[in-house]
Amino acid sequence: MKEKLGVIHGRFQVLHNDHMKYLLAGKQRCEHLVIGICNPEIDLTKYTDANPHRSKQSSNPLTFFERMECIKNSLLEVGVKQEEFEIVPFPINFPKKIFNYAPKKAKYYMTIYDKWGEEKLKTLREDLKLDVDVLWRVSLEQKGISASDIRKCIQEGKEWKQYVPRFVYEYIRENKLDIRIKSLLDNEVRII
């Protein structure tokens, strides 16, 4: 039986096909899915020892609005109805702020690949006392494509179209976001 309301979260920096599997797995389990975008703005992003790269500017090249557009239009593209989901900020680094955007009474879905995933699970289950289902738990080696891989392909001028939904590829190219991604990564490399 489907839950009435589910919540799922991620950075989606760049939304890719494995993100879509994750979002659709959450949507299959509930009638209405709230999709939380982590690190919605620089003030709601902070360094964590479990995954230090997540706080870098080059790891967060897209704005909340740009990620929202990619998620919304990619879900619509695969047939999910607009009235069956909504997209909100999800400040996972500031857990007490989560309920400003997401409902407390819902089933929370997540996946775990690393220490950071384990920390988020602890935060959601133990600290916030939420009802959390882990959709799957696999090692980083088994994870598949990552947004870091896609950003690296963009930086190196390699083809990346096959890793993302059609809308995402077109949106990034049309809005020249690939140029921003490359510039942020190139500048980071020069600083190091």
Side-chain angles (χ1 to χ4, degrees):
M1 188 158 106
K2 282 188 171 191
E3 298 287 336
K4 276 262 193 236
L5 186 60
V7 178
I8 204 163
H9 69 279
R11 276 187 315 130
F12 311 110
Q13 288 277 20
V14 169
L15 181 73
H16 55 70
N17 294 333
D18 285 352
H19 283 143
M20 288 298 290
K21 288 180 201 169
Y22 167 58
L23 292 171
L24 294 171
K27 180 61 191 91
Q28 286 177 336
R29 290 165 172 77
C30 63
E31 293 175 21
H32 189 83
L33 183 64
V34 176
I35 301 160
I37 296 179
C38 298
N39 298 10
E41 57 183 277
I42 201 69
D43 293 344
L44 296 176
T45 302
K46 69 179 181 180
Y47 177 86
T48 172
D49 287 333
N51 207 329
H53 86 278
R54 290 180 179 275
S55 62
K56 291 181 178 181
Q57 181 68 40
S58 61
S59 296
N60 296 283
L62 305 179
T63 67
F64 173 85
F65 180 80
E66 291 161 348
R67 290 178 282 162
M68 180 182 71
E69 285 293 292
C70 287
I71 293 166
K72 176 183 73 175
N73 288 291
S74 295
L75 287 172
L76 293 172
E77 198 170 65
V78 297
V80 179
K81 296 177 184 157
Q82 176 75 59
E83 61 270 12
E84 294 179 355
F85 70 91
E86 60 193 289
I87 302 167
V88 300
F90 198 86
I92 189 66
N93 292 311
F94 298 89
K96 291 180 181 169
K97 293 183 179 285
I98 288 172
F99 301 126
N100 289 337
Y101 308 101
K104 188 169 186 162
K105 293 191 180 208
K107 177 72 77 171
Y108 279 68
Y109 304 108
M110 64 179 296
T111 55
I112 299 177
Y113 304 103
D114 55 18
K115 184 178 173 184
W116 173 236
E118 297 293 349
E119 282 188 19
K120 291 190 301 180
L121 177 62
K122 180 186 176 298
T123 296
L124 296 177
R125 266 195 189 150
E126 295 175 26
D127 300 343
L128 298 179
K129 309 289 186 228
L130 295 171
D131 184 7
V132 181
D133 273 357
V134 175
L135 299 175
W136 55 83
R137 184 187 305 254
V138 298
S139 70
L140 279 174
E141 295 77 31
Q142 299 169 310
K143 181 181 179 192
I145 192 72
S146 74
S148 296
D149 296 331
I150 294 165
R151 292 190 305 269
K152 191 76 171 159
C153 284
I154 292 169
Q155 180 190 24
E156 295 173 354
K158 295 179 180 173
E159 187 54 59
W160 54 278
K161 182 178 186 174
Q162 68 274 23
Y163 301 122
V164 299
R166 183 189 59 77
F167 178 85
V168 171
Y169 184 79
E170 292 173 1
Y171 183 81
I172 286 176
R173 297 296 303 267
E174 286 171 13
N175 291 285
K176 299 184 182 350
L177 302 177
D178 50 339
I179 295 168
R180 180 193 309 157
I181 292 167
K182 181 178 180 354
S183 175
L184 286 168
L185 285 166
D186 286 347
N187 289 331
E188 179 181 85
V189 170
R190 280 198 288 271
I191 291 169
I192 291 173

